[in-house]
Amino acid sequence: MQGFTSQQLVGRDEEVGAVLDSLRSAELRGALIVAEAGLGKSALANVVAARLGREVPVHRVHASSALTGIPFGALAPLLPVLSAHDTDSPLAVMRALLERLRPADREGRVQPLVVVDDAHALDEASADLLSQLMVSGTVRMLLLTRSITDIPAGIPALVWSGVISRHHLLPLTDVQVHELCSQVLGGPVLSTTSAELARKSGGNPMFVLALIAETQRTGNLVSRHGVWLLGENVRPPQGRLGDLLKAQLSGLSNEEREAMEIIALAEPVPVGVAFQLGLHRSVDSLTASNLVSVEHEGPRLLRPRHPLYGELVRHMVPAARSARLRQRVLEVLPEHTDSMDGLLRSVAWSLDCGAKVPDDQLLRAAFMANNFFDSNFALRAAREIQDPQLLPAASVQIARAHYQSGNHGAARELVAGTVHACSDLTTAKLGTLLEVQLRQHGEPNAEELHGARSAWEAAIDRIEASAVADGRANAEMMSDVASSRRGAALLGALIDVAGGSYRTTAAQLADLLTEARAAGDLEAVLVASALLGDIHTCTGRAETAVNFTREALGIVLRNDHRFLAYYQFVLHRHLSALLWAGYWEEAQNSVHQDLVASSRSFIRIGGSVDLCLAVMELRRGDLRAALPKLAAAIEGLRAHDPEGSLPLALAIAAQISARQGDTGRADELLADAGELTPRGTLTTRVIAAGNRLAAEYARTNDPAFLEDLRQAAAQAEEQGLVAAEFELRALSMNLGDSTNMNRLLKLSEDVQGPRGRAMSVFSRAVLDQDVTALLHIASEPVDADSEGLRPLALQEALRLAKTSGDRTQVQRVQRTIGKGTGTTASRRSTSGPPVLTRREKDVAALVVKGYRNAEVAERLYLSVRTVEGHIYRIFEKLGISKRDELTAELMGE
């Protein structure tokens, strides 16, 4: 079997299994794999052939359009000894082919496998002969094709009659593309980086790989501290990627090429417009070739099948031709479009052609481009505005674009005084929100933020008075005024929630939400719901919180980019609520499916998304899976951190690293955290500070840090920060502090969700000194949160058993620990021991060998005091009190 090698595939395990089952089935004669170019037909066939090659002979046939008109042309490589005269005889060809395929098997006991690449290009004679061999059971076949309808008739008939099984390859999912990227790049990849590559490529593995190579070559895909991140300004396809795309477009007729250009330039194109332009036949052909897709939900719209096709075609069309095509499209295209991405494409196309665009359309385009985080286009559109009355609004959009590009100084200059001077409600709102965002990048100052809110309210009063004086105060205007007043009130509530004022603010928000619903003010409904979700999460009522944040996210997703500017704000609170509530599946869906709503803001939410994924793994107790996600989250947040989560991510990573014995990494992370201005809500800041204290204690064993952690938890209790207090007391417990258990039990009964329930069962078992209950938690965890408590349950059970002096009970606990060390890798990362960190295992191994503390310190380059601290924690975790009780078996070695 020459030329076949098994290669690792991503996301195709089920398909490989199904094809193998078909080829081994007694009822079937072969299998057909149908997929567009680049989806991995050949790679899958390589794996299948490599596995079957140990059982039967495997041969490969490469069909080609160049050989379609030559009888038996595709089979020529298998017929080297056949004379030209014999090729006219089907019987002679069959005999020669059988001699090649089954030379040592005259009785037909072994059925060789014939793999046919590009079966749609088979000549009819080859297809007929292979069909006969299949029907007779002489050979089995694996056929690869882009289209079953293009294969000569004999083979499709076998498919329709059930003689050959049919398998369709679908594009890779976002999760599978992430796995592929991680394999190719050899390190952690920001989840939204892989999601953007998946979006651009349509999940086509060939395009994903070419995109990775191209973005690396252009410096847009870079590694920072070992994490791969994608920049925001990806260039049009070039290099090998461009060549691949051009190859897919190379066979188009002139009519099909023109249709493809129009669809790419005017994207999205209503199907009705395409028919008016006479493109229906070309559209049918392009759709059949998987170059164009039709959206069937809502208005039927035509788009390039993959964004890459659109980018390439737009880049290739000369300006003069583009202008002519635009004029042709404008004759039948509706003047206004409700589609925001359609508006952006239309304005961009017009500007590229040098055509005049109305100022109100330019302003709408700049606004939406900023919502999409396309700062370059927002600047371009806003700077084209000439109407003096629209210039203040244009300045705000320019300021937004500068802010999103990181040019905060320019944004401050442009937005300064805007709210005091503006004459319309929208500019007053956007200017205020931008001022608040700019102020939040320093140390939070509630008084200054409330000052910005007051300035907004004053602007609303002034604009309303002017409208009344000018006779413009109609019902629509007064509705907008009322909406603006709700917005200002919600801004005040946001400031208060961030400062930890929950009880009174919750009552105000409930009233605002009722008022907004009655008025049909969706924007106010989504903001109020998100803030109420935030309050409920921070006060331990996460399951209630999810109902509010779910509603807010639904409003964003259902309104065609109308509220896209709120996407990050809502998603952050929704993911937080889902994590605390333990709704893992919904959290995964929000991360991997709802990202489509963010479109071009993929890159900016990557840190928040990966922090969510990392915390999910930590809650499961799987540090091995959590650490790369945490590393990715940190690098993503270094670039974009709208909610002030970077200090928290650094602190969590520092505490995990310190507990794992990686004090060098912990020191680096703590130093980074120390250089940052505290940001985010009060709850976020308190939890971040607690994690820093936990990291300091884990790396130094200084009891002063543990006492500080207890005090921080007590302060959180005084402030009513239920979630923060719960988190800090759980941290303290994980570090061996048992003084919190009574308070932790009471807290866990007040905290909604599986985490609270799991902690309630655990703390009750600890307080009751119930070894049986602790072993039950370790042996039969009911959910991910119980699984995460497994090491602590085993540690405490062993300590209690040792203290009781009951050798039978000690052995029972040790057997449970031993069972844990023989499970899968993922289970090992959560079971007991990883009771011991990496550094603790290093220390324990030397102690077992008889080394004294000073000798251990010398060998591991530690201080004697640090070694003593490690030994103290080792004894505590393993429930022993003397060095001679420490054994390799007890450590899980």
Side-chain angles (χ1 to χ4, degrees):
M1 188 185 69
Q2 297 292 325
F4 282 102
T5 57
S6 178
Q7 66 182 77
Q8 189 172 7
L9 284 177
V10 171
R12 301 301 189 200
D13 290 344
E14 289 186 13
E15 290 86 347
V16 168
V19 171
L20 285 170
D21 288 344
S22 295
L23 294 175
R24 288 168 173 155
S25 168
E27 289 77 28
L28 297 173
R29 296 292 182 263
L32 175 71
I33 300 176
V34 183
E36 64 180 272
L39 284 186
K41 298 184 296 295
S42 296
L44 190 151
N46 287 347
V47 173
V48 169
R51 295 186 187 178
L52 287 178
R54 296 187 288 267
E55 305 169 19
V56 298
V58 178
H59 303 272
R60 196 151 205 160
V61 172
H62 296 275
S64 167
S65 56
L67 300 174
T68 301
I70 302 174
F72 305 112
L75 301 178
L78 298 179
L79 306 171
V81 297
L82 199 64
S83 68
H85 174 74
D86 288 336
T87 56
D88 293 332
S89 168
L91 183 59
V93 172
M94 178 178 287
R95 288 173 177 169
L97 184 61
L98 287 175
E99 184 67 26
R100 176 65 184 274
L101 296 179
R102 306 175 63 159
D105 182 36
R106 304 295 184 183
E107 298 180 10
R109 291 188 296 270
V110 176
Q111 293 176 306
L113 173 67
V114 178
V115 180
V116 182
D117 281 305
D118 292 333
H120 50 271
L122 275 174
D123 60 276
E124 291 191 9
S126 295
D128 288 342
L129 178 53
L130 292 173
S131 298
Q132 294 176 40
L133 294 177
M134 272 194 293
V135 171
S136 65
T138 305
V139 300
R140 291 182 181 272
M141 294 191 61
L142 175 58
L143 301 116
L144 317 178
T145 184
R146 298 181 191 179
S147 170
I148 188 173
T149 56
D150 291 334
I151 303 176
I155 293 176
L158 297 178
V159 176
W160 309 136
S161 63
V163 175
I164 304 175
S165 64
R166 182 172 46 171
H167 308 268
H168 284 273
L169 292 190
L170 299 176
L172 298 180
T173 65
D174 283 7
V175 175
Q176 292 164 344
V177 170
H178 183 81
E179 183 183 347
L180 178 60
C181 292
S182 299
Q183 283 186 11
V184 172
L185 295 170
V189 180
L190 194 68
S191 61
T192 48
T193 285
S194 61
E196 177 69 355
L197 294 175
R199 184 186 72 85
K200 282 183 168 291
S201 66
N204 185 303
M206 178 177 67
F207 292 158
V208 171
L209 295 174
L211 261 173
I212 291 173
E214 179 66 11
T215 49
Q216 278 187 285
R217 185 184 68 82
T218 59
N220 197 253
L221 180 64
V222 296
S223 176
R224 295 177 186 164
H225 298 98
V227 176
W228 290 93
L229 303 94
L230 191 65
E232 295 185 46
N233 299 314
V234 180
R235 300 175 187 175
Q238 299 175 19
R240 177 173 175 268
L241 175 60
D243 292 340
L244 283 173
L245 294 169
K246 290 173 184 176
Q248 305 303 312
L249 302 172
S250 61
L252 299 182
S253 66
N254 290 336
E255 292 77 12
E256 291 167 348
R257 182 175 295 277
E258 182 172 284
M260 189 72 191
E261 290 172 345
I262 289 174
I263 293 169
L265 289 165
E267 178 187 357
V269 176
V271 170
V273 169
F275 272 72
Q276 287 180 273
L277 291 169
L279 305 178
H280 48 283
R281 290 184 180 175
S282 295
V283 167
D284 288 343
S285 177
L286 293 171
T287 304
S289 301
N290 291 312
L291 297 175
V292 166
S293 61
V294 183
E295 293 181 359
H296 294 286
E297 293 185 7
R300 298 187 70 202
L301 300 173
L302 296 169
R303 298 180 187 272
R305 175 66 181 271
H306 304 313
L308 288 173
Y309 286 140
E311 292 177 14
L312 178 71
V313 171
R314 288 191 290 271
H315 180 66
M316 291 172 59
V317 178
R321 179 171 175 77
S322 178
R324 288 196 300 272
L325 292 174
R326 176 180 175 275
Q327 191 59 42
R328 180 182 170 192
V329 170
L330 286 179
E331 293 175 0
V332 296
L333 190 68
E335 185 176 353
H336 298 289
T337 174
D338 293 329
S339 167
M340 287 301 169
D341 52 345
L343 170 68
L344 290 176
R345 176 64 51 214
S346 173
V347 171
W349 193 10
S350 298
L351 292 176
D352 288 342
C353 294
K356 176 66 177 174
V357 180
D359 282 352
D360 62 332
Q361 283 193 28
L362 288 169
L363 184 60
R364 286 183 67 210
F367 171 78
M368 186 49 58
N370 273 322
N371 288 354
F372 277 125
F373 298 97
D374 188 348
S375 301
N376 290 335
F377 185 70
L379 287 171
R380 182 185 182 190
R383 285 170 173 164
E384 291 286 330
I385 295 173
Q386 302 295 321
D387 187 341
Q389 293 185 338
L390 296 181
L391 288 179
S395 293
V396 170
Q397 296 305 328
I398 293 171
R400 287 182 69 198
H402 281 306
Y403 169 75
Q404 291 173 167
S405 299
N407 191 351
H408 293 179
R412 285 192 183 91
E413 288 182 13
L414 284 163
V415 81
T418 300
V419 177
H420 298 283
C422 67
S423 59
D424 68 281
L425 295 170
T426 300
T427 302
K429 176 182 74 172
L430 294 176
T432 300
L433 296 181
L434 182 54
E435 281 193 24
V436 169
Q437 287 176 308
L438 286 164
R439 292 178 188 273
Q440 285 179 327
H441 273 272
E443 192 163 350
N445 185 316
E447 185 177 347
E448 288 184 359
L449 296 177
H450 277 298
R453 183 210 65 191
S454 297
W456 184 9
E457 291 173 332
I460 296 169
D461 292 339
R462 175 171 47 79
I463 293 168
E464 180 187 17
S466 175
V468 171
D470 296 344
R472 292 180 291 108
N474 56 25
E476 182 180 356
M477 174 68 181
M478 298 314 294
S479 175
D480 290 343
V481 168
S483 177
S484 293
R485 294 196 192 285
R486 279 190 289 271
L490 287 167
L491 175 57
L494 169 64
I495 298 165
D496 292 338
V497 170
S501 176
Y502 297 142
R503 186 171 301 175
T504 57
T505 309
Q508 295 170 8
L509 283 168
D511 291 341
L512 282 169
L513 181 58
T514 299
E515 179 186 327
R517 283 177 173 156
D521 188 345
L522 286 179
E523 185 174 7
V525 170
L526 82 85
V527 175
S529 297
L531 289 175
L532 280 168
D534 205 355
I535 289 175
H536 284 293
T537 299
C538 293
T539 53
R541 300 189 296 274
E543 291 177 337
T544 303
V546 168
N547 294 326
F548 286 104
T549 59
R550 190 184 286 144
E551 179 181 6
L553 186 62
I555 292 172
V556 174
L557 297 178
R558 290 193 300 268
N559 280 275
D560 188 31
H561 308 314
R562 180 182 169 193
F563 302 120
L564 188 58
Y566 291 104
Y567 182 72
Q568 295 181 68
F569 172 81
V570 173
L571 181 68
H572 176 83
R573 285 152 180 80
H574 185 52
L575 291 178
S576 180
L578 292 172
L579 286 175
W580 277 96
Y583 294 172
W584 306 115
E585 184 175 351
E586 188 173 350
Q588 292 279 8
N589 289 340
S590 291
V591 167
H592 295 300
Q593 295 178 14
D594 295 342
L595 281 177
V596 68
S598 68
S599 187
R600 300 172 209 181
S601 65
F602 270 152
I603 308 303
R604 293 176 171 265
I605 62 175
S608 298
V609 167
D610 275 38
L611 182 57
C612 166
L613 296 173
V615 171
M616 288 173 64
E617 299 298 349
L618 290 174
R619 289 270 296 276
R620 295 186 178 104
D622 193 343
L623 302 185
R624 187 177 305 166
L627 287 174
K629 292 182 175 64
L630 200 52
I634 289 170
E635 296 312 313
L637 290 169
R638 288 188 201 275
H640 302 290
D641 184 20
E643 298 295 335
S645 300
L646 179 56
L648 175 61
L650 288 166
I652 292 173
Q655 121 5 58
I656 295 298
S657 298
R659 287 173 59 194
Q660 290 290 95
D662 191 350
T663 54
R665 176 63 175 158
D667 289 345
E668 292 175 7
L669 293 163
L670 286 170
D672 285 352
E675 294 177 359
L676 298 175
T677 301
R679 291 189 59 213
T681 64
L682 179 60
T683 291
T684 299
R685 300 198 302 273
V686 168
I687 295 176
N691 275 274
R692 289 198 301 274
L693 291 169
E696 294 284 12
Y697 176 72
R699 60 183 283 278
T700 65
N701 199 41
D702 186 343
F705 289 114
L706 192 58
E707 178 57 32
D708 288 345
L709 182 56
R710 293 192 197 100
Q711 290 301 317
Q715 290 173 9
E717 180 182 356
E718 292 175 6
Q719 294 171 296
L721 307 177
V722 175
E725 182 195 354
F726 182 91
E727 188 68 32
L728 298 193
R729 295 196 187 279
L731 267 176
S732 186
M733 177 196 70
N734 275 284
L735 294 171
D737 181 12
S738 60
T739 62
N740 285 311
M741 296 311 298
N742 279 305
R743 177 60 186 166
L744 201 50
L745 175 61
K746 185 177 187 313
L747 264 178
S748 61
E749 292 171 348
D750 295 334
V751 172
Q752 291 179 349
R755 193 177 187 199
R757 292 191 288 271
M759 189 62 75
S760 177
V761 173
F762 173 75
S763 53
R764 172 61 66 192
V766 172
L767 290 169
D768 291 345
Q769 299 188 12
D770 189 339
V771 174
T772 300
L774 289 167
L775 289 180
H776 182 75
I777 292 171
S779 303
E780 300 181 30
V782 296
D783 51 37
D785 290 283
S786 298
E787 176 76 14
L789 287 169
R790 186 175 190 272
L792 288 174
L794 288 172
Q795 173 185 321
E796 184 64 15
L798 186 58
R799 187 188 69 79
L800 290 172
K802 288 277 189 178
T803 302
S804 71
D806 186 336
R807 294 185 62 83
T808 301
Q809 198 172 58
V810 170
Q811 291 173 355
R812 178 187 173 197
V813 176
Q814 289 177 336
R815 281 197 301 271
T816 304
I817 293 174
K819 290 178 182 177
T821 61
T823 56
T824 64
S826 62
R827 182 67 177 268
R828 276 201 302 273
S829 66
T830 66
S831 58
V835 175
L836 302 184
T837 67
R838 186 182 66 190
R839 179 60 79 187
E840 287 167 351
K841 287 184 176 181
D842 293 340
V843 171
L846 293 175
V847 171
V848 168
K849 293 178 180 178
Y851 289 96
R852 293 173 297 176
N853 291 0
E855 294 171 324
V856 173
E858 181 180 358
R859 285 178 172 267
L860 297 180
Y861 302 100
L862 301 172
S863 69
V864 174
R865 181 180 176 184
T866 299
V867 170
E868 290 171 348
H870 282 311
I871 292 175
Y872 171 80
R873 285 196 293 274
I874 291 166
F875 285 8
E876 279 290 304
K877 289 181 176 182
L878 298 182
I880 60 178
S881 57
K882 296 184 294 185
R883 298 171 82 95
D884 58 6
E885 293 178 344
L886 181 61
T887 64
E889 180 182 7
L890 188 58
M891 292 163 54
E893 299 295 329

